[in-house]
Amino acid sequence: MENNLKIVFATGNAHKVHEVNEIAKGSGIEFILPDEGFDPIEDGETFIQNSYIKAKDAAILSNNLSLADDSGLCVEALDGAPGIYSARYDSTPQKRIDKLLTNLAPFGNRKAKFVCAMTLVDNKGEIIHQVVGECKGAIAEKQSGTNGFGYDPVFIPEGYDITIAQMPENLKNKISHRGKALRMMIEFIKNNIM
Ligand code: IMP
């Protein structure tokens, strides 16, 4: 598309950039990876703080408008864990899933939610807008499906009887925490920046 507004998406995860570009299709916004050297220290205490840390780092590095997400899985019976530590809960994606299923095994309550906080900053790292999207659901007894990433194989969204990893990408994007947050952010960008 011509005259796309290019926004740096503050992540090293190319799958996330693919996902947000799918959601943003037709909006006139194109998300691109940060310049080489993006390695922020995510030491915030909330999703929203960490999204700001990442957005600011990428904006200053790339001298460009930047959007960051910080996301994770919050499990009710585990007092919100792994939460902001979702990416660091164990050393590999499979070990993180195994640890979650083991820790949750003694509990009857399997309610959980994915949370996605997003911060948009200008090229100097000043906050322009922040949003939070959530996707409620439950943790499955065992993992199923191979689509998506992270905890998708064990997360069953409310109103469904399959995991996110068993869904086509367009359905995930319609109901996901990231999809909801990004659509709110795109609406803001269209009304205030473009
Ligand atoms: P970050 O937002 O990149 O710091 O990491 C969030 C972590 O939460 C990921 O590494 C995943 O483990 C998990 N997570 C976030 N979003 C999703 C999702 O859409 N599906 C599955 N896992 C997710």
Side-chain angles (χ1 to χ4, degrees):
M1 194 188 293
E2 280 173 42
N3 300 325
N4 268 352
L5 174 66
K6 284 195 171 43
I7 299 180
V8 167
F9 196 81
T11 184
N13 180 347
H15 185 91
K16 266 195 192 175
V17 177
H18 168 78
E19 215 172 89
V20 293
N21 274 318
E22 280 300 309
I23 298 166
K25 241 181 202 166
S27 67
I29 300 167
E30 184 191 346
F31 293 103
I32 55 173
L33 279 163
D35 286 353
E36 194 103 349
F38 176 68
D39 191 18
I41 298 164
E42 290 178 48
D43 57 1
E45 285 169 12
T46 61
F47 291 115
I48 206 88
Q49 280 175 7
N50 279 334
S51 70
Y52 167 61
I53 290 168
K54 289 192 254 187
K56 186 178 176 192
D57 205 74
I60 292 170
L61 182 71
S62 307
N63 189 26
N64 202 93
L65 267 181
S66 170
L67 178 67
D69 82 334
D70 195 62
S71 50
L73 179 67
C74 301
V75 181
E76 206 173 87
L78 303 179
D79 297 325
I84 59 167
Y85 304 106
S86 294
R88 292 166 269 170
Y89 197 43
D90 209 322
S91 55
T92 66
Q94 187 57 55
K95 282 188 181 168
R96 291 193 270 280
I97 286 177
D98 294 343
K99 181 170 174 180
L100 176 67
L101 293 180
T102 303
N103 288 350
L104 196 55
F107 298 94
N109 174 10
R110 303 189 70 89
K111 278 191 202 159
K113 63 180 178 182
F114 272 124
V115 179
C116 177
M118 287 191 169
T119 297
L120 178 71
V121 300
D122 67 17
N123 64 331
K124 304 266 184 287
E126 295 291 327
I127 296 175
I128 302 175
H129 195 54
Q130 295 183 302
V131 296
V132 178
E134 290 188 357
C135 176
K136 292 191 174 140
I139 303 301
E141 298 282 345
K142 60 180 180 58
Q143 74 185 86
S144 323
T146 53
N147 295 338
F149 68 98
Y151 300 90
D152 283 344
V154 289
F155 188 85
I156 302 175
E158 231 168 57
Y160 294 84
D161 56 8
I162 53 172
T163 68
I164 293 191
Q166 292 174 295
M167 292 181 172
E169 190 181 17
N170 60 350
L171 180 55
K172 172 177 181 178
N173 291 342
K174 206 171 119 192
I175 63 171
S176 79
H177 48 314
R178 194 168 298 101
K180 287 177 187 165
L182 188 62
R183 281 189 292 274
M184 285 189 261
M185 194 52 96
I186 287 171
E187 211 40 45
F188 174 86
I189 293 168
K190 282 206 232 163
N191 292 331
N192 296 280
I193 299 182
M194 295 174 86

